[in-house]
Amino acid sequence: MKVLGLETSCDETGLAIFDSERLAEGKSGLLGQVLYSQIELHATYGGVVPELASRDHIRKLVPLFEELLTQCDISKNDIDAIAFTKGPGLIGALMTGALFGRGLAYALDIPAIGIHHMEGHLLSPLLGDNPPKFPFVSLLVSGGHTLLVAAHAIGEYQILGESIDDAAGECFDKAAKMLDLPYPGGPNVARLAENGNPEAYDLPRPMLHRGLDFSFSGMKTAVHNLIKDTAGSDSDAVVRANIAASFQNAMVDTLVKKCVKALKQTGMSQLVIAGGVSANLHLRQTLENDLAKINATVHYAPLALCTDNGAMIAYAGYQRLQAGHEDDLAVSCVPRWNISDLPALT
Ligand code: KG4
Ligand code: ZN
């Protein structure tokens, strides 16, 4: 079964084809993928401008689809089903992919299904070299979400904790802005942090001893104050790198401690990290070290599949279509959607 996946929930236009028959041949199920990032378009504004995002998805969907078919060396008639991101995300952006996918499926007379963006992220490590087996704890960390989920099976997700204010990725983006780094902030903060001392400044670890929820809004203020207090220093470059490293260290420390707590609380021994922030190498390394101490393992998607992409949507779509799920002709996108409200596979 060849499933076309479409991701347009924010500022990436991602298309991919997952082919289950390749799995049977012992190959990766990913037949091909194309990704267009709107980073440059939004960089001038320091963040995503929703209307510009929607318009750009519309411009890119058809040429990217044609490029994908060429890359995979197939025709559109070889596609068996289409999966598109139905939510959560920017409503206008979601609608572009949903309408394109639903319309194409209708024209080709094949099934279509709307997928939960975070379920796409959550299942993406199953496309990696070291896939986890259910049940596992999943830390979903993106620009819009910070969630700790107990994943019992596909569609059986129990939220253990979440951010009560800013998402972890959002906090990286805001810290980057304060450090005059370009959008998107996460990778740029991580790059600057490479040359800094993570112990230089003691930044807060919010809500560390309170359950499994997170709070990152205080971190913004802490970084802001730190930048103000250190302004005018002779060694500005060193100070900035130290701030980035100390900030990243505090973020990672908070995320890792909550993950360890969640594993202990659930008695599970596998942790999956997914979403844009899971591309952070310091987070991956710290989790590997700390989880080894409690005989737990950490699993993540290949780096290219950590941030938004069409492959994760194609894969989640394949899993649900195979179980008989499919959407009707009406297209309704869901900008806010709780992952624990998803139906189980059976
Ligand atoms: O999952 P994603 O691509 O889009 C959303 O669904 O939000 O995540 C994007 C977020 C951004 O906030 C970005 O700054 C962050 O992931 N991010 C990172 C890294 N790469 C991306 N944060 C920290 N370190 C990174 N290496
Ligand atoms: Zn995402």
Side-chain angles (χ1 to χ4, degrees):
M1 185 193 230
K2 287 186 184 56
V3 181
L4 167 68
L6 302 167
E7 158 59 36
T8 63
S9 68
C10 191
D11 58 346
E12 250 100 33
T13 321
L15 290 83
I17 291 180
F18 178 83
D19 182 358
S20 58
E21 270 142 47
R22 284 171 57 92
L23 283 185
E25 295 163 15
K27 297 180 195 154
S28 145
L30 193 58
L31 184 59
Q33 71 158 328
V34 288
L35 185 71
Y36 177 80
S37 171
Q38 302 177 352
I39 283 177
E40 271 180 43
L41 177 69
H42 301 291
T44 335
Y45 307 96
V48 179
V49 183
E51 184 57 25
L52 294 184
S54 316
R55 286 167 193 237
D56 206 51
H57 286 309
I58 292 173
R59 273 193 291 270
K60 298 295 178 337
L61 273 164
V62 173
L64 284 172
F65 177 55
E66 282 165 357
E67 188 185 328
L68 179 66
L69 292 178
T70 308
Q71 186 193 111
C72 298
D73 197 19
I74 60 169
S75 103
K76 59 180 184 298
N77 296 313
D78 295 322
I79 300 170
D80 299 301
I82 298 178
F84 55 84
T85 305
K86 181 172 170 170
L90 303 170
I91 186 66
L94 289 166
M95 287 301 283
T96 63
L99 288 168
F100 177 81
R102 182 59 269 185
L104 184 60
Y106 181 70
L108 295 173
D109 196 19
I110 56 176
I113 186 162
I115 292 297
H116 191 293
H117 180 81
M118 298 313 288
E119 179 173 60
H121 276 307
L122 188 145
L123 298 179
S124 62
L126 296 172
L127 287 164
D129 292 335
N130 177 25
K133 287 196 171 67
F134 286 102
F136 51 76
V137 171
S138 179
L139 173 72
L140 300 176
V141 265
S142 70
H145 295 86
T146 307
L147 283 176
L148 263 171
V149 175
H152 299 282
I154 294 181
E156 293 175 40
Y157 310 127
Q158 175 198 357
I159 295 181
L160 302 170
E162 60 193 314
S163 177
I164 59 165
D165 41 54
D166 294 356
E170 190 181 352
C171 193
F172 266 94
D173 293 337
K174 286 178 177 164
K177 218 170 183 173
M178 290 187 257
L179 286 163
D180 286 328
L181 294 169
Y183 165 85
N188 288 312
V189 170
R191 214 163 294 131
L192 182 59
E194 278 170 25
N195 304 317
N197 171 11
E199 312 286 342
Y201 304 107
D202 192 18
L203 284 160
R205 272 73 167 154
M207 292 182 61
L208 213 49
H209 304 292
R210 274 205 273 151
L212 292 172
D213 283 338
F214 303 87
S215 165
F216 292 117
S217 66
M219 192 68 101
K220 258 182 340 224
T221 320
V223 173
H224 174 80
N225 290 341
L226 190 52
I227 292 174
K228 217 170 62 188
D229 294 347
T230 52
S233 151
D234 292 342
S235 48
D236 194 43
V238 177
V239 170
R240 287 175 77 251
N242 284 346
I243 293 175
S246 303
F247 162 76
Q248 178 177 255
N249 198 31
M251 292 295 290
V252 167
D253 195 29
T254 308
L255 292 170
V256 171
K257 292 221 161 76
K258 295 274 178 177
C259 289
V260 169
K261 210 176 201 179
L263 286 165
K264 287 185 177 160
Q265 187 175 306
T266 54
M268 293 180 186
S269 60
Q270 298 169 100
L271 177 82
V272 157
I273 53 167
V277 183
S278 71
N280 187 282
L281 296 179
H282 182 52
L283 175 65
R284 290 178 171 210
Q285 222 145 44
T286 314
L287 278 171
E288 277 179 16
N289 290 342
D290 288 16
L291 264 51
K293 293 179 201 153
I294 56 164
N295 290 323
T297 50
V298 56
H299 307 257
Y300 30 72
L303 262 185
L305 301 185
C306 285
T307 44
D308 293 349
N309 64 85
M312 66 184 194
I313 303 303
Y315 181 68
Y318 162 70
Q319 292 291 350
R320 289 197 170 272
L321 288 155
Q322 203 197 22
H325 294 206
E326 117 176 38
D327 276 10
D328 59 22
L329 285 176
V331 177
S332 59
C333 292
V334 195
R336 287 175 167 270
W337 190 3
N338 196 322
I339 196 169
S340 59
D341 291 340
L342 284 177
L345 270 201
T346 46

